[in-house]
Amino acid sequence: NGFGGGSSALVALAELTNGTGLPSRTMVTIAISIFIGSLTLSGSFIAFGKLQGIIDGRAITMPGQRILDPLLAIGALAAAVAIVSSDNNATGWILAAVAGVLGVTRTLPIGGADMPVVISFLNSASGVAAAAAGFVIESNALIISGALVGASGLILTNIMVKAMNRTLGAVLFSAFGASGDAAIGAGSEDKVARRGSPDDIAVTLAYAKRVVIVPGYGLAVAQAQHTIRELASLLESRGVEVRYAIHPVAGRMPGHMNVLLAEADVPYDLLFDLEDINPDFPSTDVSLVVGANDVVNPLARTDSTSPIYGMPILDVDRSHLVVVVKRSLSPGYAGIDNPLFYEDNTLMLFADAKKGLSEVVTAVKEL
């Protein structure tokens, strides 16, 4: 997203530098491409930093931001007007710089839990920048492809925010997760998570009738999709019904889990959306949660003070037994503790997803 937007901005800047006497409509599209492209580039770098853990995943705000952001927006608008009216090359670079700073200041206050939405929104923005660049250089192919990317990205963004029971405005401007410091581990000091060994979990899964696998980002980090597929095949050979529950915002980007499972040749008809699988959890023997956190947090249903309250979740806590494969009890990107980990019907396997699941696979083979 970032480099796509950046390249569109550079195309517009090159045209501004090389062209003379350009018509006003071209100057308008140059200004649009520079602004959106530069903002997308810097915003994408911040999103990347948050997802990689280089930048704190919680919402980061700064003093005076409510004043700074509008001033930057006004400065960008003034630079854009100057470009259209004066055909000044230097003004184009000023617009790019101001838009780049605005991309940073607007992305930093967005918490890591909202990054899937931000990614799809930046995807849409990069398409708009490309379409604008297409008008600048009179390329119909670029205009059409950019418009398709912009429209599809906006549709996907709308799907994502609905899946989180939020609005795009709330994602971009509410600093979701800003109170994460106080929420991390809140109330968990007197709770004990039940640990299970790979052998315990192998027995539990092998003798179940219905198992639902819930993949999360921990599975992606460990590249454990092939291991989870091997485990599922072993269970199916023993007569266990295995299905996969896919939350719309699981992972770090839209469709992340679907792509990973497709790589492991998981049949598409075994993947179920949240709305389709949730009614089946009460009759599920074991829900196997691999690296997921916020998307299975019951606080979204029960705690009106929680930052994720109202977000649709996978109701794994209503299964007969929940097995969670996770490195630790650390909170998810919303920055809050997950009471699911301490429930009586939950077993925790503290391990890297690939290593832990490989040990479970070995144990199942030995039964």
Side-chain angles (χ1 to χ4, degrees):
N1 294 339
F3 287 121
S7 63
S8 298
L10 288 174
V11 166
L13 284 166
E15 192 71 12
L16 179 63
T17 301
N18 297 329
T20 56
L22 297 172
S24 296
R25 64 177 182 275
T26 301
M27 301 304 295
V28 169
T29 54
I30 284 176
I32 292 173
S33 186
I34 292 173
F35 175 74
I36 298 178
S38 300
L39 187 147
T40 303
L41 176 62
S42 60
S44 295
F45 270 107
I46 298 301
F48 168 78
K50 282 177 173 281
L51 296 182
Q52 288 295 109
I54 300 171
I55 302 173
D56 195 330
R58 291 167 294 165
I60 301 173
T61 56
M62 62 190 74
Q65 183 156 8
R66 292 179 183 270
I67 299 175
L68 176 62
D69 286 353
L71 287 177
L72 288 171
I74 293 171
L77 179 61
V81 171
I83 288 176
V84 175
S85 61
S86 67
D87 194 14
N88 190 307
N89 297 344
T91 311
W93 291 101
I94 292 173
L95 175 59
V98 173
V101 174
L102 186 60
V104 172
T105 60
R106 283 309 325 140
T107 310
L108 279 174
I110 302 174
D114 279 332
M115 278 302 114
V117 177
V118 174
I119 289 171
S120 59
F121 180 71
L122 290 172
N123 178 41
S124 178
S126 69
V128 174
F135 280 106
V136 171
I137 61 176
E138 299 181 348
S139 169
N140 289 334
L142 190 56
I143 293 170
I144 294 171
S145 59
L148 286 172
V149 172
S152 60
L154 195 59
I155 292 170
L156 183 57
T157 301
N158 186 52
I159 293 171
M160 301 292 285
V161 294
K162 283 186 177 180
M164 299 180 71
N165 196 32
R166 291 164 62 73
T167 65
L168 182 58
V171 170
L172 297 179
F173 301 109
S174 69
F176 182 40
S179 60
D181 283 337
I184 293 175
S188 63
E189 295 83 356
D190 57 345
K191 300 175 183 177
V192 177
R194 290 200 306 150
R195 296 171 180 257
S197 68
D199 290 335
D200 297 332
I201 293 167
V203 171
T204 299
L205 293 170
Y207 293 100
K209 290 183 179 179
R210 305 182 74 186
V211 171
V212 173
I213 297 172
V214 180
Y217 186 66
L219 178 140
V221 170
Q223 288 292 292
Q225 62 268 33
H226 297 283
T227 309
I228 198 69
R229 172 59 173 147
E230 182 182 4
L231 175 60
S233 298
L234 283 173
L235 297 177
E236 289 166 347
S237 69
R238 299 177 65 94
V240 180
E241 178 189 355
V242 180
R243 293 181 295 169
Y244 299 79
I246 309 299
H247 193 283
V249 294
R252 295 286 182 86
M253 63 190 72
H256 197 169
M257 297 299 106
N258 302 68
V259 172
L260 286 176
L261 296 176
E263 288 179 4
D265 295 324
V266 174
Y268 185 76
D269 58 0
L270 296 182
L271 308 184
F272 290 83
D273 293 333
L274 179 146
E275 297 84 358
D276 297 326
I277 198 71
N278 263 352
D280 295 341
F281 279 114
S283 59
T284 297
D285 296 312
V286 183
S287 287
L288 177 59
V289 180
V290 186
N293 196 330
D294 294 328
V295 298
V296 294
N297 193 330
L299 290 180
R301 293 195 314 261
T302 61
D303 186 358
S304 60
T305 65
S306 171
I308 64 171
Y309 181 70
M311 183 181 87
I313 62 167
L314 292 164
D315 297 329
V316 298
D317 57 310
R318 292 172 175 167
S319 306
H320 299 166
L321 181 68
V322 181
V323 173
V324 179
V325 181
K326 200 172 182 292
R327 289 177 179 271
S328 68
L329 292 172
S330 60
Y333 278 96
I336 56 176
D337 197 35
N338 191 340
L340 172 70
F341 302 156
Y342 312 102
E343 295 292 340
D344 293 337
N345 65 331
T346 299
L347 277 179
M348 301 292 300
L349 177 60
F350 294 111
D352 168 84
K354 188 172 185 178
K355 181 177 182 297
L357 291 172
S358 296
E359 293 175 352
V360 174
V361 166
T362 300
V364 171
K365 290 178 178 179
E366 294 175 351
L367 292 176

